[in-house]
Amino acid sequence: MTLDELRAADAARDRAVAGRALTAPDATRFAEAGAHAPTPTPYFVLEGLLGPLHLGVGDHLLDVGCGCGRVLAFLAAHCPEARATGVELDPALAAVAEGWAARYPRLAVRQGSVLDLDLAPYTHFYLFNPFDTAVLTRFLDKLEREARRPVTLVHMSDNGETYSYLGRAGWSLVLEGSIQGYRPPAGPEVPLFGCPQHWSRWRYTP
């Protein structure tokens, strides 16, 4: 398998749920606000990071920086009993996600900053390097103020953001690892990211 074939397979899975490929621009228009490029998470990564959470009735995941909604499409297909909301700063990308997600009653999209969103309703959070460390710190401060029950957070980044959680009361590291390419059942690994993406799963208990 080649990288182009892997991306084509992901686009096919997008179209099966959303009716279109859920790709995004290579750069953000909101860098001054601390936003990073809206990179869609490959499906094999979502299977590894979100699949083991077994999201179902009573669970509500917030995808922080959802882009065009790849995470929402994954959950609609694989965890249809769970609720999922995407929040996206870029109005154009949010409009794409909202447009196709409207057909799924358990999906929702919010346009704007996650720092302006009430975080109390959510049980799970997913972040694929949505913003810089300064904004991440503000987000974690806000989550700690608003969480009313234990929550699970999955974070993937090439910036080594794990240190942002260390020393914060109530946070415990459940699992961590790194991903740089896709290893098919047969054949060599397909390079995917220019550098390893570290991921971590955290549990926060207020």
mmCIF file of all heavy atoms in Angstrom, residues 112-157:
data_model
loop_
_atom_site.group_PDB
_atom_site.id
_atom_site.type_symbol
_atom_site.label_atom_id
_atom_site.label_comp_id
_atom_site.label_asym_id
_atom_site.label_seq_id
_atom_site.Cartn_x
_atom_site.Cartn_y
_atom_site.Cartn_z
ATOM 1 N N GLY A 112 -16.697 28.230 16.444
ATOM 2 C CA GLY A 112 -16.171 29.168 17.411
ATOM 3 C C GLY A 112 -15.019 28.567 18.175
ATOM 4 O O GLY A 112 -14.481 27.511 17.814
ATOM 5 N N SER A 113 -14.628 29.237 19.240
ATOM 6 C CA SER A 113 -13.521 28.782 20.075
ATOM 7 C C SER A 113 -14.012 27.845 21.167
ATOM 8 O O SER A 113 -15.055 28.100 21.797
ATOM 9 C CB SER A 113 -12.816 29.981 20.721
ATOM 10 O OG SER A 113 -11.892 29.556 21.703
ATOM 11 N N VAL A 114 -13.269 26.791 21.417
ATOM 12 C CA VAL A 114 -13.626 25.886 22.509
ATOM 13 C C VAL A 114 -13.562 26.619 23.843
ATOM 14 O O VAL A 114 -14.228 26.203 24.813
ATOM 15 C CB VAL A 114 -12.687 24.653 22.513
ATOM 16 C CG1 VAL A 114 -11.269 25.040 22.908
ATOM 17 C CG2 VAL A 114 -13.219 23.552 23.423
ATOM 18 N N LEU A 115 -12.814 27.711 23.911
ATOM 19 C CA LEU A 115 -12.725 28.469 25.158
ATOM 20 C C LEU A 115 -14.023 29.203 25.473
ATOM 21 O O LEU A 115 -14.191 29.706 26.594
ATOM 22 C CB LEU A 115 -11.561 29.464 25.072
ATOM 23 C CG LEU A 115 -10.180 28.842 24.873
ATOM 24 C CD1 LEU A 115 -9.123 29.936 24.769
ATOM 25 C CD2 LEU A 115 -9.835 27.853 25.980
ATOM 26 N N ASP A 116 -14.929 29.279 24.508
ATOM 27 C CA ASP A 116 -16.240 29.911 24.722
ATOM 28 C C ASP A 116 -17.352 28.877 24.871
ATOM 29 O O ASP A 116 -18.531 29.252 24.953
ATOM 30 C CB ASP A 116 -16.566 30.841 23.549
ATOM 31 C CG ASP A 116 -15.586 31.983 23.426
ATOM 32 O OD1 ASP A 116 -15.105 32.470 24.470
ATOM 33 O OD2 ASP A 116 -15.287 32.393 22.287
ATOM 34 N N LEU A 117 -16.995 27.602 24.907
ATOM 35 C CA LEU A 117 -17.984 26.527 24.942
ATOM 36 C C LEU A 117 -18.084 25.964 26.355
ATOM 37 O O LEU A 117 -17.064 25.795 27.040
ATOM 38 C CB LEU A 117 -17.552 25.425 23.980
ATOM 39 C CG LEU A 117 -18.567 24.346 23.605
ATOM 40 C CD1 LEU A 117 -19.715 24.955 22.810
ATOM 41 C CD2 LEU A 117 -17.888 23.257 22.773
ATOM 42 N N ASP A 118 -19.296 25.680 26.796
ATOM 43 C CA ASP A 118 -19.501 25.024 28.094
ATOM 44 C C ASP A 118 -19.013 23.580 27.983
ATOM 45 O O ASP A 118 -19.508 22.807 27.155
ATOM 46 C CB ASP A 118 -20.990 25.057 28.452
ATOM 47 C CG ASP A 118 -21.292 24.369 29.779
ATOM 48 O OD1 ASP A 118 -20.348 24.074 30.541
ATOM 49 O OD2 ASP A 118 -22.483 24.114 30.045
ATOM 50 N N LEU A 119 -18.055 23.191 28.810
ATOM 51 C CA LEU A 119 -17.462 21.860 28.719
ATOM 52 C C LEU A 119 -18.115 20.841 29.650
ATOM 53 O O LEU A 119 -17.789 19.658 29.576
ATOM 54 C CB LEU A 119 -15.960 21.945 29.032
ATOM 55 C CG LEU A 119 -15.149 22.887 28.137
ATOM 56 C CD1 LEU A 119 -13.678 22.857 28.539
ATOM 57 C CD2 LEU A 119 -15.321 22.537 26.669
ATOM 58 N N ALA A 120 -19.033 21.276 30.490
ATOM 59 C CA ALA A 120 -19.632 20.384 31.472
ATOM 60 C C ALA A 120 -20.365 19.181 30.863
ATOM 61 O O ALA A 120 -20.351 18.097 31.450
ATOM 62 C CB ALA A 120 -20.571 21.165 32.385
ATOM 63 N N PRO A 121 -21.029 19.313 29.688
ATOM 64 C CA PRO A 121 -21.811 18.163 29.194
ATOM 65 C C PRO A 121 -20.996 16.985 28.679
ATOM 66 O O PRO A 121 -21.549 15.907 28.462
ATOM 67 C CB PRO A 121 -22.627 18.773 28.039
ATOM 68 C CG PRO A 121 -22.606 20.241 28.265
ATOM 69 C CD PRO A 121 -21.283 20.514 28.892
ATOM 70 N N TYR A 122 -19.689 17.158 28.471
ATOM 71 C CA TYR A 122 -18.927 16.147 27.736
ATOM 72 C C TYR A 122 -18.240 15.152 28.661
ATOM 73 O O TYR A 122 -17.728 15.509 29.727
ATOM 74 C CB TYR A 122 -17.904 16.836 26.831
ATOM 75 C CG TYR A 122 -18.566 17.805 25.882
ATOM 76 C CD1 TYR A 122 -18.561 19.168 26.145
ATOM 77 C CD2 TYR A 122 -19.254 17.347 24.768
ATOM 78 C CE1 TYR A 122 -19.208 20.061 25.299
ATOM 79 C CE2 TYR A 122 -19.903 18.226 23.922
ATOM 80 C CZ TYR A 122 -19.882 19.585 24.191
ATOM 81 O OH TYR A 122 -20.537 20.456 23.360
ATOM 82 N N THR A 123 -18.224 13.894 28.214
ATOM 83 C CA THR A 123 -17.559 12.825 28.970
ATOM 84 C C THR A 123 -16.193 12.490 28.404
ATOM 85 O O THR A 123 -15.362 11.905 29.097
ATOM 86 C CB THR A 123 -18.412 11.549 28.953
ATOM 87 O OG1 THR A 123 -18.580 11.100 27.586
ATOM 88 C CG2 THR A 123 -19.791 11.795 29.560
ATOM 89 N N HIS A 124 -15.964 12.821 27.125
ATOM 90 C CA HIS A 124 -14.714 12.502 26.444
ATOM 91 C C HIS A 124 -14.298 13.674 25.557
ATOM 92 O O HIS A 124 -15.152 14.391 25.019
ATOM 93 C CB HIS A 124 -14.877 11.249 25.569
ATOM 94 C CG HIS A 124 -15.168 9.998 26.344
ATOM 95 N ND1 HIS A 124 -16.402 9.739 26.889
ATOM 96 C CD2 HIS A 124 -14.373 8.933 26.657
ATOM 97 C CE1 HIS A 124 -16.366 8.562 27.517
ATOM 98 N NE2 HIS A 124 -15.159 8.071 27.384
ATOM 99 N N PHE A 125 -12.987 13.818 25.397
ATOM 100 C CA PHE A 125 -12.432 14.879 24.558
ATOM 101 C C PHE A 125 -11.354 14.285 23.661
ATOM 102 O O PHE A 125 -10.588 13.419 24.086
ATOM 103 C CB PHE A 125 -11.823 15.991 25.427
ATOM 104 C CG PHE A 125 -12.814 16.683 26.305
ATOM 105 C CD1 PHE A 125 -13.178 16.138 27.529
ATOM 106 C CD2 PHE A 125 -13.410 17.862 25.904
ATOM 107 C CE1 PHE A 125 -14.104 16.765 28.352
ATOM 108 C CE2 PHE A 125 -14.344 18.505 26.715
ATOM 109 C CZ PHE A 125 -14.694 17.951 27.941
ATOM 110 N N TYR A 126 -11.302 14.788 22.415
ATOM 111 C CA TYR A 126 -10.254 14.366 21.485
ATOM 112 C C TYR A 126 -9.582 15.601 20.927
ATOM 113 O O TYR A 126 -10.254 16.522 20.442
ATOM 114 C CB TYR A 126 -10.836 13.529 20.338
ATOM 115 C CG TYR A 126 -9.772 13.109 19.334
ATOM 116 C CD1 TYR A 126 -8.821 12.151 19.674
ATOM 117 C CD2 TYR A 126 -9.708 13.695 18.068
ATOM 118 C CE1 TYR A 126 -7.829 11.779 18.770
ATOM 119 C CE2 TYR A 126 -8.722 13.318 17.161
ATOM 120 C CZ TYR A 126 -7.791 12.370 17.520
ATOM 121 O OH TYR A 126 -6.802 12.000 16.632
ATOM 122 N N LEU A 127 -8.246 15.611 20.979
ATOM 123 C CA LEU A 127 -7.462 16.729 20.456
ATOM 124 C C LEU A 127 -6.354 16.181 19.577
ATOM 125 O O LEU A 127 -5.529 15.380 20.044
ATOM 126 C CB LEU A 127 -6.819 17.543 21.587
ATOM 127 C CG LEU A 127 -7.708 18.352 22.536
ATOM 128 C CD1 LEU A 127 -8.361 17.459 23.588
ATOM 129 C CD2 LEU A 127 -6.876 19.423 23.241
ATOM 130 N N PHE A 128 -6.343 16.575 18.302
ATOM 131 C CA PHE A 128 -5.210 16.272 17.432
ATOM 132 C C PHE A 128 -4.503 17.594 17.157
ATOM 133 O O PHE A 128 -4.775 18.264 16.174
ATOM 134 C CB PHE A 128 -5.672 15.602 16.144
ATOM 135 C CG PHE A 128 -4.535 15.231 15.202
ATOM 136 C CD1 PHE A 128 -3.208 15.277 15.603
ATOM 137 C CD2 PHE A 128 -4.797 14.823 13.909
ATOM 138 C CE1 PHE A 128 -2.171 14.945 14.743
ATOM 139 C CE2 PHE A 128 -3.771 14.477 13.031
ATOM 140 C CZ PHE A 128 -2.459 14.551 13.453
ATOM 141 N N ASN A 129 -3.655 17.980 18.093
ATOM 142 C CA ASN A 129 -2.812 19.168 17.948
ATOM 143 C C ASN A 129 -3.600 20.377 17.430
ATOM 144 O O ASN A 129 -3.205 21.010 16.439
ATOM 145 C CB ASN A 129 -1.656 18.852 16.993
ATOM 146 C CG ASN A 129 -0.506 19.833 17.120
ATOM 147 O OD1 ASN A 129 -0.329 20.460 18.152
ATOM 148 N ND2 ASN A 129 0.279 19.961 16.064
ATOM 149 N N PRO A 130 -4.709 20.737 18.082
ATOM 150 C CA PRO A 130 -5.551 21.805 17.524
ATOM 151 C C PRO A 130 -4.989 23.211 17.721
ATOM 152 O O PRO A 130 -5.327 24.115 16.948
ATOM 153 C CB PRO A 130 -6.862 21.641 18.288
ATOM 154 C CG PRO A 130 -6.442 21.052 19.605
ATOM 155 C CD PRO A 130 -5.284 20.151 19.295
ATOM 156 N N PHE A 131 -4.154 23.395 18.750
ATOM 157 C CA PHE A 131 -3.664 24.746 19.026
ATOM 158 C C PHE A 131 -2.357 24.693 19.798
ATOM 159 O O PHE A 131 -1.883 23.622 20.183
ATOM 160 C CB PHE A 131 -4.696 25.582 19.793
ATOM 161 C CG PHE A 131 -5.574 24.807 20.744
ATOM 162 C CD1 PHE A 131 -5.028 24.012 21.756
ATOM 163 C CD2 PHE A 131 -6.955 24.874 20.646
ATOM 164 C CE1 PHE A 131 -5.834 23.322 22.643
ATOM 165 C CE2 PHE A 131 -7.775 24.174 21.522
ATOM 166 C CZ PHE A 131 -7.215 23.401 22.522
ATOM 167 N N ASP A 132 -1.783 25.868 20.028
ATOM 168 C CA ASP A 132 -0.480 25.919 20.679
ATOM 169 C C ASP A 132 -0.603 25.708 22.183
ATOM 170 O O ASP A 132 -1.712 25.596 22.740
ATOM 171 C CB ASP A 132 0.241 27.224 20.342
ATOM 172 C CG ASP A 132 -0.492 28.474 20.822
ATOM 173 O OD1 ASP A 132 -1.301 28.392 21.767
ATOM 174 O OD2 ASP A 132 -0.252 29.548 20.238
ATOM 175 N N THR A 133 0.551 25.657 22.856
ATOM 176 C CA THR A 133 0.577 25.321 24.275
ATOM 177 C C THR A 133 -0.145 26.358 25.128
ATOM 178 O O THR A 133 -0.789 26.013 26.121
ATOM 179 C CB THR A 133 2.030 25.174 24.749
ATOM 180 O OG1 THR A 133 2.683 24.184 23.954
ATOM 181 C CG2 THR A 133 2.087 24.735 26.204
ATOM 182 N N ALA A 134 -0.062 27.622 24.749
ATOM 183 C CA ALA A 134 -0.729 28.658 25.534
ATOM 184 C C ALA A 134 -2.243 28.451 25.548
ATOM 185 O O ALA A 134 -2.898 28.568 26.591
ATOM 186 C CB ALA A 134 -0.386 30.034 24.979
ATOM 187 N N VAL A 135 -2.816 28.134 24.384
ATOM 188 C CA VAL A 135 -4.257 27.892 24.320
ATOM 189 C C VAL A 135 -4.600 26.576 25.018
ATOM 190 O O VAL A 135 -5.624 26.475 25.699
ATOM 191 C CB VAL A 135 -4.751 27.891 22.864
ATOM 192 C CG1 VAL A 135 -6.259 27.643 22.805
ATOM 193 C CG2 VAL A 135 -4.421 29.212 22.186
ATOM 194 N N LEU A 136 -3.752 25.565 24.863
ATOM 195 C CA LEU A 136 -3.994 24.292 25.553
ATOM 196 C C LEU A 136 -4.073 24.505 27.060
ATOM 197 O O LEU A 136 -4.951 23.941 27.728
ATOM 198 C CB LEU A 136 -2.890 23.295 25.210
ATOM 199 C CG LEU A 136 -2.923 21.967 25.973
ATOM 200 C CD1 LEU A 136 -4.216 21.204 25.698
ATOM 201 C CD2 LEU A 136 -1.713 21.106 25.609
ATOM 202 N N THR A 137 -3.176 25.290 27.603
ATOM 203 C CA THR A 137 -3.197 25.551 29.039
ATOM 204 C C THR A 137 -4.501 26.215 29.464
ATOM 205 O O THR A 137 -5.104 25.845 30.486
ATOM 206 C CB THR A 137 -2.006 26.446 29.429
ATOM 207 O OG1 THR A 137 -0.782 25.767 29.097
ATOM 208 C CG2 THR A 137 -2.019 26.767 30.918
ATOM 209 N N ARG A 138 -4.970 27.169 28.678
ATOM 210 C CA ARG A 138 -6.250 27.823 28.988
ATOM 211 C C ARG A 138 -7.410 26.826 28.891
ATOM 212 O O ARG A 138 -8.349 26.875 29.699
ATOM 213 C CB ARG A 138 -6.471 28.997 28.048
ATOM 214 C CG ARG A 138 -5.480 30.140 28.231
ATOM 215 C CD ARG A 138 -5.646 31.203 27.159
ATOM 216 N NE ARG A 138 -6.969 31.819 27.222
ATOM 217 C CZ ARG A 138 -7.469 32.591 26.260
ATOM 218 N NH1 ARG A 138 -6.761 32.814 25.147
ATOM 219 N NH2 ARG A 138 -8.671 33.124 26.383
ATOM 220 N N PHE A 139 -7.336 25.940 27.904
ATOM 221 C CA PHE A 139 -8.379 24.921 27.754
ATOM 222 C C PHE A 139 -8.410 23.989 28.968
ATOM 223 O O PHE A 139 -9.481 23.678 29.505
ATOM 224 C CB PHE A 139 -8.144 24.126 26.470
ATOM 225 C CG PHE A 139 -8.951 22.865 26.375
ATOM 226 C CD1 PHE A 139 -10.316 22.909 26.118
ATOM 227 C CD2 PHE A 139 -8.350 21.624 26.561
ATOM 228 C CE1 PHE A 139 -11.079 21.736 26.046
ATOM 229 C CE2 PHE A 139 -9.098 20.457 26.490
ATOM 230 C CZ PHE A 139 -10.454 20.518 26.232
ATOM 231 N N LEU A 140 -7.239 23.532 29.410
ATOM 232 C CA LEU A 140 -7.191 22.630 30.563
ATOM 233 C C LEU A 140 -7.676 23.330 31.828
ATOM 234 O O LEU A 140 -8.395 22.730 32.645
ATOM 235 C CB LEU A 140 -5.771 22.097 30.748
ATOM 236 C CG LEU A 140 -5.244 21.202 29.621
ATOM 237 C CD1 LEU A 140 -3.798 20.792 29.901
ATOM 238 C CD2 LEU A 140 -6.116 19.976 29.422
ATOM 239 N N ASP A 141 -7.310 24.596 31.994
ATOM 240 C CA ASP A 141 -7.807 25.360 33.137
ATOM 241 C C ASP A 141 -9.329 25.417 33.116
ATOM 242 O O ASP A 141 -9.988 25.240 34.152
ATOM 243 C CB ASP A 141 -7.253 26.789 33.108
ATOM 244 C CG ASP A 141 -5.758 26.861 33.398
ATOM 245 O OD1 ASP A 141 -5.200 25.878 33.925
ATOM 246 O OD2 ASP A 141 -5.152 27.909 33.072
ATOM 247 N N LYS A 142 -9.886 25.666 31.935
ATOM 248 C CA LYS A 142 -11.344 25.764 31.790
ATOM 249 C C LYS A 142 -12.008 24.417 32.064
ATOM 250 O O LYS A 142 -13.036 24.356 32.759
ATOM 251 C CB LYS A 142 -11.667 26.250 30.377
ATOM 252 C CG LYS A 142 -13.152 26.346 30.028
ATOM 253 C CD LYS A 142 -13.315 26.874 28.604
ATOM 254 C CE LYS A 142 -14.761 26.811 28.139
ATOM 255 N NZ LYS A 142 -15.647 27.709 28.924
ATOM 256 N N LEU A 143 -11.433 23.355 31.544
ATOM 257 C CA LEU A 143 -12.000 22.026 31.757
ATOM 258 C C LEU A 143 -12.006 21.676 33.244
ATOM 259 O O LEU A 143 -12.991 21.129 33.765
ATOM 260 C CB LEU A 143 -11.202 20.991 30.967
ATOM 261 C CG LEU A 143 -11.648 19.527 31.091
ATOM 262 C CD1 LEU A 143 -13.123 19.364 30.735
ATOM 263 C CD2 LEU A 143 -10.786 18.641 30.200
ATOM 264 N N GLU A 144 -10.945 22.018 33.932
ATOM 265 C CA GLU A 144 -10.886 21.740 35.366
ATOM 266 C C GLU A 144 -11.948 22.524 36.136
ATOM 267 O O GLU A 144 -12.518 22.026 37.113
ATOM 268 C CB GLU A 144 -9.492 22.062 35.894
ATOM 269 C CG GLU A 144 -8.427 21.089 35.397
ATOM 270 C CD GLU A 144 -7.019 21.545 35.717
ATOM 271 O OE1 GLU A 144 -6.869 22.604 36.379
ATOM 272 O OE2 GLU A 144 -6.062 20.862 35.318
ATOM 273 N N ARG A 145 -12.244 23.728 35.700
ATOM 274 C CA ARG A 145 -13.277 24.528 36.363
ATOM 275 C C ARG A 145 -14.669 23.985 36.107
ATOM 276 O O ARG A 145 -15.552 24.080 36.979
ATOM 277 C CB ARG A 145 -13.216 25.988 35.883
ATOM 278 C CG ARG A 145 -12.001 26.777 36.321
ATOM 279 C CD ARG A 145 -12.199 28.266 36.064
ATOM 280 N NE ARG A 145 -12.484 28.569 34.668
ATOM 281 C CZ ARG A 145 -11.553 28.844 33.754
ATOM 282 N NH1 ARG A 145 -10.267 28.822 34.102
ATOM 283 N NH2 ARG A 145 -11.890 29.149 32.507
ATOM 284 N N GLU A 146 -14.904 23.432 34.917
ATOM 285 C CA GLU A 146 -16.274 23.123 34.497
ATOM 286 C C GLU A 146 -16.663 21.661 34.590
ATOM 287 O O GLU A 146 -17.859 21.346 34.588
ATOM 288 C CB GLU A 146 -16.480 23.631 33.065
ATOM 289 C CG GLU A 146 -16.313 25.144 32.954
ATOM 290 C CD GLU A 146 -16.522 25.675 31.546
ATOM 291 O OE1 GLU A 146 -16.831 24.872 30.645
ATOM 292 O OE2 GLU A 146 -16.381 26.897 31.351
ATOM 293 N N ALA A 147 -15.692 20.749 34.652
ATOM 294 C CA ALA A 147 -16.022 19.321 34.708
ATOM 295 C C ALA A 147 -16.771 19.007 35.997
ATOM 296 O O ALA A 147 -16.365 19.444 37.078
ATOM 297 C CB ALA A 147 -14.753 18.484 34.622
ATOM 298 N N ARG A 148 -17.849 18.262 35.871
ATOM 299 C CA ARG A 148 -18.663 17.888 37.028
ATOM 300 C C ARG A 148 -18.592 16.390 37.318
ATOM 301 O O ARG A 148 -19.252 15.905 38.238
ATOM 302 C CB ARG A 148 -20.129 18.299 36.788
ATOM 303 C CG ARG A 148 -20.333 19.796 36.626
ATOM 304 C CD ARG A 148 -20.016 20.523 37.929
ATOM 305 N NE ARG A 148 -20.158 21.974 37.788
ATOM 306 C CZ ARG A 148 -19.157 22.797 37.523
ATOM 307 N NH1 ARG A 148 -17.921 22.296 37.363
ATOM 308 N NH2 ARG A 148 -19.344 24.092 37.419
ATOM 309 N N ARG A 149 -17.781 15.675 36.530
ATOM 310 C CA ARG A 149 -17.629 14.224 36.699
ATOM 311 C C ARG A 149 -16.310 13.837 36.043
ATOM 312 O O ARG A 149 -15.714 14.632 35.303
ATOM 313 C CB ARG A 149 -18.775 13.492 36.013
ATOM 314 C CG ARG A 149 -18.959 13.917 34.558
ATOM 315 C CD ARG A 149 -20.182 13.337 33.933
ATOM 316 N NE ARG A 149 -20.508 14.013 32.684
ATOM 317 C CZ ARG A 149 -21.533 13.696 31.916
ATOM 318 N NH1 ARG A 149 -22.332 12.700 32.262
ATOM 319 N NH2 ARG A 149 -21.779 14.364 30.807
ATOM 320 N N PRO A 150 -15.818 12.639 36.291
ATOM 321 C CA PRO A 150 -14.572 12.226 35.626
ATOM 322 C C PRO A 150 -14.730 12.230 34.106
ATOM 323 O O PRO A 150 -15.786 11.854 33.582
ATOM 324 C CB PRO A 150 -14.347 10.808 36.169
ATOM 325 C CG PRO A 150 -15.056 10.790 37.475
ATOM 326 C CD PRO A 150 -16.280 11.653 37.272
ATOM 327 N N VAL A 151 -13.693 12.671 33.406
ATOM 328 C CA VAL A 151 -13.706 12.704 31.946
ATOM 329 C C VAL A 151 -12.445 12.039 31.415
ATOM 330 O O VAL A 151 -11.427 11.945 32.106
ATOM 331 C CB VAL A 151 -13.817 14.149 31.402
ATOM 332 C CG1 VAL A 151 -15.100 14.815 31.875
ATOM 333 C CG2 VAL A 151 -12.597 14.971 31.802
ATOM 334 N N THR A 152 -12.528 11.578 30.172
ATOM 335 C CA THR A 152 -11.384 10.983 29.480
ATOM 336 C C THR A 152 -10.982 11.899 28.339
ATOM 337 O O THR A 152 -11.840 12.397 27.602
ATOM 338 C CB THR A 152 -11.748 9.592 28.933
ATOM 339 O OG1 THR A 152 -12.021 8.722 30.031
ATOM 340 C CG2 THR A 152 -10.608 9.002 28.102
ATOM 341 N N LEU A 153 -9.683 12.114 28.194
ATOM 342 C CA LEU A 153 -9.168 12.987 27.142
ATOM 343 C C LEU A 153 -8.068 12.262 26.380
ATOM 344 O O LEU A 153 -7.160 11.696 26.989
ATOM 345 C CB LEU A 153 -8.636 14.283 27.751
ATOM 346 C CG LEU A 153 -8.116 15.360 26.791
ATOM 347 C CD1 LEU A 153 -8.342 16.752 27.393
ATOM 348 C CD2 LEU A 153 -6.634 15.174 26.469
ATOM 349 N N VAL A 154 -8.171 12.263 25.050
ATOM 350 C CA VAL A 154 -7.146 11.690 24.179
ATOM 351 C C VAL A 154 -6.499 12.829 23.403
ATOM 352 O O VAL A 154 -7.194 13.614 22.761
ATOM 353 C CB VAL A 154 -7.747 10.650 23.209
ATOM 354 C CG1 VAL A 154 -6.674 10.130 22.253
ATOM 355 C CG2 VAL A 154 -8.370 9.490 23.991
ATOM 356 N N HIS A 155 -5.174 12.901 23.475
ATOM 357 C CA HIS A 155 -4.437 14.006 22.846
ATOM 358 C C HIS A 155 -3.330 13.426 21.983
ATOM 359 O O HIS A 155 -2.547 12.599 22.444
ATOM 360 C CB HIS A 155 -3.834 14.899 23.931
ATOM 361 C CG HIS A 155 -3.274 16.192 23.407
ATOM 362 N ND1 HIS A 155 -3.231 17.338 24.162
ATOM 363 C CD2 HIS A 155 -2.737 16.541 22.207
ATOM 364 C CE1 HIS A 155 -2.686 18.329 23.467
ATOM 365 N NE2 HIS A 155 -2.376 17.851 22.269
ATOM 366 N N MET A 156 -3.254 13.863 20.718
ATOM 367 C CA MET A 156 -2.170 13.476 19.834
ATOM 368 C C MET A 156 -1.510 14.734 19.292
ATOM 369 O O MET A 156 -2.194 15.681 18.894
ATOM 370 C CB MET A 156 -2.663 12.598 18.677
ATOM 371 C CG MET A 156 -1.518 12.014 17.845
ATOM 372 S SD MET A 156 -2.028 10.709 16.709
ATOM 373 C CE MET A 156 -2.883 11.655 15.464
ATOM 374 N N SER A 157 -0.172 14.753 19.287
ATOM 375 C CA SER A 157 0.552 15.948 18.885
ATOM 376 C C SER A 157 1.997 15.600 18.576
ATOM 377 O O SER A 157 2.550 14.653 19.134
ATOM 378 C CB SER A 157 0.505 16.991 20.009
ATOM 379 O OG SER A 157 1.388 18.059 19.755
#
